[in-house]
Amino acid sequence: MKPVNEWNSFRIGLIGIGVGLLVAVGVIVMSTTNFGTKEYTAVLEHTAGLRSGEDVQVHGVVKGEVTGVDLEDDHVVVTFVLESDIDLGSRTEASVKVATLLGTHYLELEPLGGGTLAGDRIPLDRTEVPYNLQDVLESGAGALDELDPELLADALTSMADTLGASSDEIGPALKGVARLSEVVANRSDQAGDLLESARNVSDQLSDSSADIVELMSQTNLVVSEITARRDAIHRLLVETTGLSRALTEIVDSTKGDLKPALEDLNDVLAMLNREDETLTRVLDVMGPAVRYVANASGHGPWVDLFIQEPALPPDDAMCGSRGGCR
């Protein structure tokens, strides 16, 4: 093998140029070819500021990149690549979103529907773009033309005068709103705890719904029983009222007969009260006599009595007094 310094310099140059061209082609191919990705297109009403190189997100996660923004007829066609493991259904939707206040955007995809995306293209009726300021101005131009400038100037003047006259009240009102905002901000944790507690109460009520329904059914039974008892008490009161009226009528109808009877009864009671001492003495005297008679008649069919004369007169006395004995 020849040493390198003996090689043909022209041939070495051609080989070097060929290798350089191959490396350049390989770099270009590597930079333009997306491995593990798939290319899609979406039709937009306008670009909405979307540029090539911005992100493509699926459910808030970056899964691809915008590779081109081209004009087609009166619409804009956005070309983007997406990771091949993301399946876009037949009803997939796309929308342009604002990423930052500096004007960066991203394309948000919403995979919907079954099957695959027809032609790997999202049509115009399933894409959305942010509201265009030009559309707002154009839609409001007609309304502005219809306004009366003099009347509008008078209204603005009146508003300025009103604000100027009430400046002393507006200042404290704005301060009050600011303080209220501070209180709300300072109490945000407490408000969060309150909402969490409310959610826990709601969960507890939801879990106890069956028990609450059962309690309500039992409550219905109690209410029904109370209603029945109330009806019974009502009937009792009605019947008692009727009885009272009947007794009142009886008393009214017998008032003339009862008064003499009550007067006679009062007279009898007064007489008995007057004779109470006599009756008491009679009972005291009758007690021993009754006891002696009971003792005398307790020995058989006779009575043992000891009577001193002349309790019973002799037989001759009886015969003499009647004109002879028989």
Side-chain angles (χ1 to χ4, degrees), residues 253-300:
S253 62
T254 58
K255 184 183 297 183
D257 298 333
L258 289 175
K259 184 175 181 181
L262 292 175
E263 291 177 355
D264 294 340
L265 181 60
N266 290 330
D267 294 340
V268 171
L269 291 176
M271 183 187 67
L272 291 176
N273 288 328
R274 290 193 301 269
E275 298 297 332
D276 178 62
E277 183 178 355
T278 304
L279 293 175
T280 302
R281 186 170 59 255
V282 169
L283 292 175
D284 291 338
V285 173
M286 286 180 62
V290 171
R291 184 173 61 253
Y292 293 149
V293 171
N295 293 333
S297 61
H299 300 289

Coordinates of all heavy atoms in Angstrom, one line a residue, residues 253-300:
S253 N -133.8 23.6 81.9 CA -135.2 23.1 81.9 C -135.6 22.6 83.3 O -136.8 22.6 83.6 CB -135.3 22.0 80.9 OG -134.4 20.9 81.3
T254 N -134.7 22.2 84.2 CA -135.1 21.7 85.5 C -134.8 22.7 86.6 O -134.8 22.3 87.8 CB -134.3 20.4 85.8 OG1 -132.9 20.6 85.7 CG2 -134.7 19.3 84.8
K255 N -134.4 23.9 86.3 CA -134.1 24.9 87.3 C -135.3 25.1 88.2 O -135.1 25.2 89.4 CB -133.6 26.1 86.6 CG -133.1 27.2 87.6 CD -132.7 28.5 86.9 CE -131.6 28.2 86.0 NZ -131.1 29.4 85.3
G256 N -136.5 25.2 87.7 CA -137.7 25.5 88.5 C -138.0 24.4 89.5 O -138.5 24.6 90.6
D257 N -137.8 23.1 89.1 CA -138.1 21.9 90.0 C -137.0 21.7 91.0 O -137.2 21.3 92.1 CB -138.2 20.7 89.1 CG -139.4 20.8 88.2 OD1 -140.3 21.6 88.5 OD2 -139.4 20.1 87.1
L258 N -135.7 22.0 90.6 CA -134.6 21.8 91.6 C -134.6 22.8 92.7 O -134.2 22.4 93.8 CB -133.3 21.8 90.8 CG -133.0 20.6 89.8 CD1 -131.7 20.8 89.1 CD2 -132.9 19.3 90.6
K259 N -135.0 24.0 92.4 CA -134.9 25.0 93.5 C -135.7 24.7 94.7 O -135.2 24.7 95.9 CB -135.3 26.4 92.9 CG -135.1 27.5 93.9 CD -135.4 28.8 93.2 CE -135.2 30.0 94.2 NZ -135.5 31.3 93.6
P260 N -137.1 24.3 94.6 CA -137.8 23.9 95.8 C -137.2 22.6 96.5 O -137.1 22.6 97.8 CB -139.2 23.6 95.3 CG -139.3 24.4 94.0 CD -138.0 24.3 93.4
A261 N -136.7 21.7 95.7 CA -136.1 20.5 96.3 C -134.9 20.8 97.1 O -134.6 20.3 98.2 CB -135.8 19.4 95.2
L262 N -134.1 21.7 96.6 CA -132.9 22.1 97.3 C -133.2 22.9 98.6 O -132.5 22.7 99.6 CB -132.0 22.9 96.4 CG -131.3 22.2 95.2 CD1 -130.6 23.2 94.3 CD2 -130.4 21.1 95.7
E263 N -134.3 23.7 98.5 CA -134.7 24.4 99.7 C -135.2 23.4 100.8 O -134.8 23.6 102.0 CB -135.8 25.4 99.3 CG -135.3 26.5 98.5 CD -136.4 27.5 98.1 OE1 -137.6 27.2 98.4 OE2 -136.2 28.5 97.5
D264 N -136.0 22.4 100.4 CA -136.4 21.4 101.4 C -135.2 20.6 101.9 O -135.2 20.3 103.1 CB -137.4 20.4 100.7 CG -138.7 21.1 100.3 OD1 -139.0 22.2 100.9 OD2 -139.4 20.6 99.4
L265 N -134.3 20.3 101.1 CA -133.1 19.6 101.6 C -132.3 20.5 102.6 O -131.8 20.0 103.6 CB -132.2 19.2 100.4 CG -130.9 18.5 100.7 CD1 -131.2 17.1 101.4 CD2 -130.1 18.2 99.4
N266 N -132.3 21.7 102.3 CA -131.6 22.6 103.3 C -132.3 22.7 104.6 O -131.7 22.7 105.7 CB -131.5 24.0 102.7 CG -130.5 24.1 101.5 OD1 -129.5 23.4 101.5 ND2 -130.7 25.0 100.6
D267 N -133.7 22.6 104.5 CA -134.5 22.6 105.8 C -134.2 21.3 106.6 O -134.0 21.3 107.8 CB -136.0 22.7 105.5 CG -136.3 24.1 104.9 OD1 -135.5 25.0 105.1 OD2 -137.3 24.2 104.2
V268 N -134.2 20.2 105.9 CA -133.9 18.9 106.5 C -132.5 18.9 107.2 O -132.4 18.4 108.3 CB -134.0 17.7 105.5 CG1 -133.6 16.4 106.2 CG2 -135.5 17.6 105.1
L269 N -131.6 19.4 106.5 CA -130.2 19.5 107.0 C -130.2 20.4 108.3 O -129.5 20.1 109.2 CB -129.2 20.0 106.0 CG -129.0 19.0 104.8 CD1 -128.1 19.6 103.8 CD2 -128.3 17.7 105.3
A270 N -130.9 21.5 108.2 CA -130.9 22.4 109.4 C -131.6 21.7 110.6 O -131.1 21.8 111.7 CB -131.7 23.6 109.0
M271 N -132.7 20.9 110.3 CA -133.3 20.2 111.4 C -132.4 19.1 112.0 O -132.3 19.0 113.2 CB -134.6 19.6 110.9 CG -135.4 18.9 112.0 SD -136.8 18.0 111.3 CE -136.0 16.7 110.4
L272 N -131.7 18.4 111.1 CA -130.8 17.4 111.6 C -129.7 18.0 112.4 O -129.2 17.4 113.4 CB -130.3 16.5 110.5 CG -131.3 15.6 109.7 CD1 -130.6 15.0 108.5 CD2 -131.8 14.6 110.7
N273 N -129.2 19.1 112.0 CA -128.2 19.8 112.8 C -128.7 20.2 114.2 O -128.0 20.1 115.2 CB -127.7 21.0 112.0 CG -126.8 20.6 110.8 OD1 -126.2 19.6 110.8 ND2 -126.9 21.5 109.7
R274 N -129.9 20.6 114.2 CA -130.5 21.0 115.5 C -130.7 19.8 116.4 O -130.5 19.9 117.6 CB -131.8 21.7 115.3 CG -131.7 23.1 114.7 CD -133.0 23.9 114.8 NE -134.1 23.2 114.1 CZ -134.5 23.4 112.9 NH1 -133.8 24.2 112.1 NH2 -135.5 22.7 112.3
E275 N -131.1 18.6 115.9 CA -131.3 17.4 116.6 C -130.1 16.6 116.8 O -130.2 15.4 117.2 CB -132.4 16.6 116.0 CG -133.8 17.3 115.8 CD -134.3 17.6 117.2 OE1 -134.0 16.9 118.2 OE2 -135.1 18.6 117.3
D276 N -129.0 17.1 116.4 CA -127.7 16.3 116.5 C -127.4 15.9 117.9 O -127.0 14.8 118.2 CB -126.6 17.1 115.8 CG -125.3 16.3 115.9 OD1 -125.2 15.3 115.3 OD2 -124.3 16.8 116.6
E277 N -127.5 16.8 118.9 CA -127.2 16.5 120.3 C -128.1 15.5 120.8 O -127.7 14.5 121.5 CB -127.3 17.8 121.1 CG -126.8 17.6 122.5 CD -126.9 18.9 123.3 OE1 -127.1 20.0 122.7 OE2 -126.6 18.9 124.5
T278 N -129.4 15.6 120.5 CA -130.4 14.6 121.0 C -130.1 13.2 120.4 O -130.2 12.2 121.2 CB -131.8 15.0 120.6 OG1 -132.1 16.3 121.1 CG2 -132.9 14.1 121.2
L279 N -129.9 13.2 119.1 CA -129.6 11.9 118.5 C -128.3 11.3 119.1 O -128.2 10.0 119.3 CB -129.4 12.0 117.0 CG -130.7 12.4 116.2 CD1 -130.4 12.7 114.8 CD2 -131.7 11.3 116.4
T280 N -127.3 12.1 119.4 CA -126.1 11.6 120.0 C -126.4 11.0 121.4 O -125.8 9.9 121.7 CB -125.0 12.7 120.1 OG1 -124.8 13.2 118.7 CG2 -123.7 12.2 120.6
R281 N -127.2 11.6 122.2 CA -127.5 11.1 123.5 C -128.3 9.9 123.5 O -128.1 8.9 124.2 CB -128.2 12.2 124.3 CG -128.5 11.8 125.8 CD -129.0 13.0 126.6 NE -130.3 13.5 126.0 CZ -130.4 14.6 125.4 NH1 -129.4 15.4 125.1 NH2 -131.6 15.0 124.9
V282 N -129.2 9.8 122.5 CA -130.0 8.5 122.3 C -129.1 7.4 122.0 O -129.3 6.3 122.5 CB -131.1 8.7 121.3 CG1 -131.7 7.4 120.9 CG2 -132.2 9.7 121.7
L283 N -128.2 7.6 121.1 CA -127.3 6.5 120.7 C -126.4 6.1 121.9 O -126.1 4.9 122.1 CB -126.4 7.0 119.5 CG -127.1 7.2 118.2 CD1 -126.2 7.8 117.1 CD2 -127.7 5.9 117.7
D284 N -126.0 7.1 122.8 CA -125.2 6.7 123.9 C -126.0 5.8 124.9 O -125.5 4.9 125.5 CB -124.7 8.0 124.6 CG -123.7 8.7 123.8 OD1 -123.1 8.1 122.9 OD2 -123.5 9.9 124.0
V285 N -127.3 6.1 125.1 CA -128.1 5.4 126.0 C -128.5 4.0 125.5 O -128.5 3.0 126.2 CB -129.4 6.2 126.4 CG1 -130.3 5.4 127.2 CG2 -129.0 7.5 127.1
M286 N -128.8 4.0 124.2 CA -129.2 2.7 123.5 C -128.0 1.7 123.5 O -128.3 0.5 123.5 CB -129.6 3.0 122.1 CG -131.0 3.6 122.0 SD -131.5 3.9 120.3 CE -131.6 2.2 119.7
G287 N -126.8 2.1 123.5 CA -125.7 1.2 123.4 C -125.7 0.2 124.6 O -125.7 -1.0 124.3
P288 N -125.7 0.5 125.9 CA -125.7 -0.5 126.9 C -127.0 -1.3 126.9 O -126.9 -2.5 127.2 CB -125.6 0.4 128.2 CG -125.0 1.7 127.7 CD -125.5 1.9 126.4
A289 N -128.1 -0.7 126.7 CA -129.4 -1.5 126.7 C -129.3 -2.6 125.6 O -129.7 -3.7 125.9 CB -130.6 -0.6 126.5
V290 N -128.9 -2.2 124.4 CA -128.8 -3.2 123.4 C -127.8 -4.3 123.7 O -128.0 -5.5 123.5 CB -128.5 -2.5 122.0 CG1 -128.2 -3.6 121.0 CG2 -129.6 -1.6 121.6
R291 N -126.7 -3.9 124.4 CA -125.7 -4.9 124.8 C -126.3 -5.9 125.8 O -126.1 -7.1 125.8 CB -124.5 -4.2 125.3 CG -123.4 -5.2 125.7 CD -122.1 -4.5 126.1 NE -122.3 -3.6 127.3 CZ -122.3 -2.3 127.3 NH1 -122.2 -1.7 126.1 NH2 -122.5 -1.6 128.4
Y292 N -127.1 -5.4 126.8 CA -127.7 -6.2 127.8 C -128.7 -7.2 127.2 O -128.8 -8.4 127.5 CB -128.4 -5.4 128.9 CG -127.5 -4.6 129.8 CD1 -127.9 -3.3 130.3 CD2 -126.2 -5.1 130.0 CE1 -127.0 -2.6 131.0 CE2 -125.3 -4.3 130.8 CZ -125.7 -3.1 131.3 OH -124.9 -2.4 132.0
V293 N -129.5 -6.7 126.2 CA -130.5 -7.6 125.6 C -129.8 -8.7 124.8 O -130.2 -9.8 124.8 CB -131.4 -6.7 124.6 CG1 -132.3 -7.6 123.8 CG2 -132.3 -5.8 125.4
A294 N -128.7 -8.3 124.2 CA -127.9 -9.3 123.5 C -127.4 -10.4 124.4 O -127.4 -11.6 124.1 CB -126.8 -8.6 122.7
N295 N -126.9 -9.9 125.6 CA -126.3 -10.9 126.5 C -127.4 -11.8 127.1 O -127.2 -13.0 127.3 CB -125.6 -10.2 127.7 CG -124.4 -9.5 127.2 OD1 -123.8 -9.9 126.2 ND2 -124.0 -8.4 127.9
A296 N -128.7 -11.3 127.3 CA -129.7 -12.1 127.9 C -130.3 -13.1 126.9 O -130.8 -14.1 127.3 CB -130.9 -11.1 128.4
S297 N -130.3 -12.8 125.6 CA -130.8 -13.7 124.6 C -129.8 -14.6 124.0 O -130.1 -15.3 123.0 CB -131.5 -12.9 123.5 OG -130.5 -12.0 122.9
G298 N -128.6 -14.7 124.6 CA -127.6 -15.5 124.0 C -127.5 -16.9 124.6 O -126.6 -17.6 124.3
H299 N -128.5 -17.4 125.5 CA -128.4 -18.7 126.1 C -129.4 -19.7 125.5 O -129.5 -20.8 126.0 CB -128.7 -18.6 127.6 CG -127.7 -17.7 128.3 ND1 -126.4 -18.0 128.5 CD2 -127.8 -16.4 128.8 CE1 -125.7 -17.0 129.1 NE2 -126.6 -16.0 129.3
G300 N -130.2 -19.3 124.5 CA -131.2 -20.3 124.0 C -132.5 -19.5 123.6 O -132.5 -18.3 123.5

